[in-house]
Amino acid sequence: MASMQTGATTSAWSPVRIAALAVGLVFLIVGVLGFIPGITDNYDSMTFAGHHSDAHLFGVFNVSILHNIVHLLFGVAGLLAARAGAAARSYLLIGGVIYLALWVYGVVVDEASEANFVPLNNADNWLHLGLGLGMVVLGALLPRLTAPRQHPTGYAHR
């Protein structure tokens, strides 16, 4: 006998949950890699925060201890958000908006300025633009792929 599925929760891995999990894992990996000498060039010049940090992840992206911690926190947030579809969508949308704001900040603030506390360089700015746009697009489009489909009578098929 079919049962009414209105408001039922599921443990199925929807595309939006998978995306939040994947993005979270990438942030965690990048956060850890930022603390590994060799993967991060000029590791001994890394500062807690500020534009004086001359450490570069993969020799390209300017990082500091604070920058790496932010990546780790975004990673943990992604893993936690992936537990539910609505949370995953919010993580992707809000996280994407935060990264777009960080892109604007990086474009506006001079790299040598004391206001560049994260620190950010041109490569970081382009990455933040791509991350922000990608996360917003995933958060906006993926939930539409997982809308519950019900039989015209209101009963779900088993």
Side-chain angles (χ1 to χ4, degrees):
M1 177 177 204
S3 63
M4 193 77 153
Q5 295 294 313
T6 308
T9 60
T10 180
S11 61
W13 280 95
S14 64
V16 72
R17 290 180 63 206
I18 293 168
L21 179 68
V23 170
L25 285 172
V26 169
F27 274 118
L28 276 177
I29 291 167
V30 167
V32 169
L33 292 177
F35 288 113
I36 299 176
I39 295 174
T40 299
D41 296 345
N42 301 319
Y43 184 83
D44 56 338
S45 72
M46 187 183 302
T47 61
F48 179 77
H51 69 282
H52 300 293
S53 182
D54 195 32
H56 291 87
L57 181 62
F58 306 122
V60 177
F61 304 104
N62 199 208
V63 292
S64 65
I65 294 169
L66 177 63
H67 204 152
N68 291 333
I69 290 170
V70 169
H71 291 148
L72 292 170
L73 292 174
F74 259 88
V76 169
L79 297 183
L80 292 173
R83 296 171 21 177
R89 179 178 187 268
S90 293
Y91 167 76
L92 293 168
L93 290 174
I94 294 168
V97 169
I98 290 169
Y99 269 89
L100 288 172
L102 192 56
W103 167 69
V104 170
Y105 178 80
V107 169
V108 172
V109 172
D110 181 16
E111 286 182 25
S113 166
E114 292 296 324
N116 187 13
F117 67 94
V118 175
L120 303 170
N121 63 13
N122 195 44
D124 289 306
N125 293 336
W126 283 106
L127 180 62
H128 294 154
L129 174 61
L131 276 171
L133 290 174
M135 289 174 75
V136 167
V137 167
L138 289 171
L141 296 181
L142 289 181
R144 296 173 188 221
L145 298 176
T146 58
R149 295 182 188 146
Q150 295 207 354
H151 190 272
T153 63
Y155 292 93
H157 291 281
R158 285 192 178 218

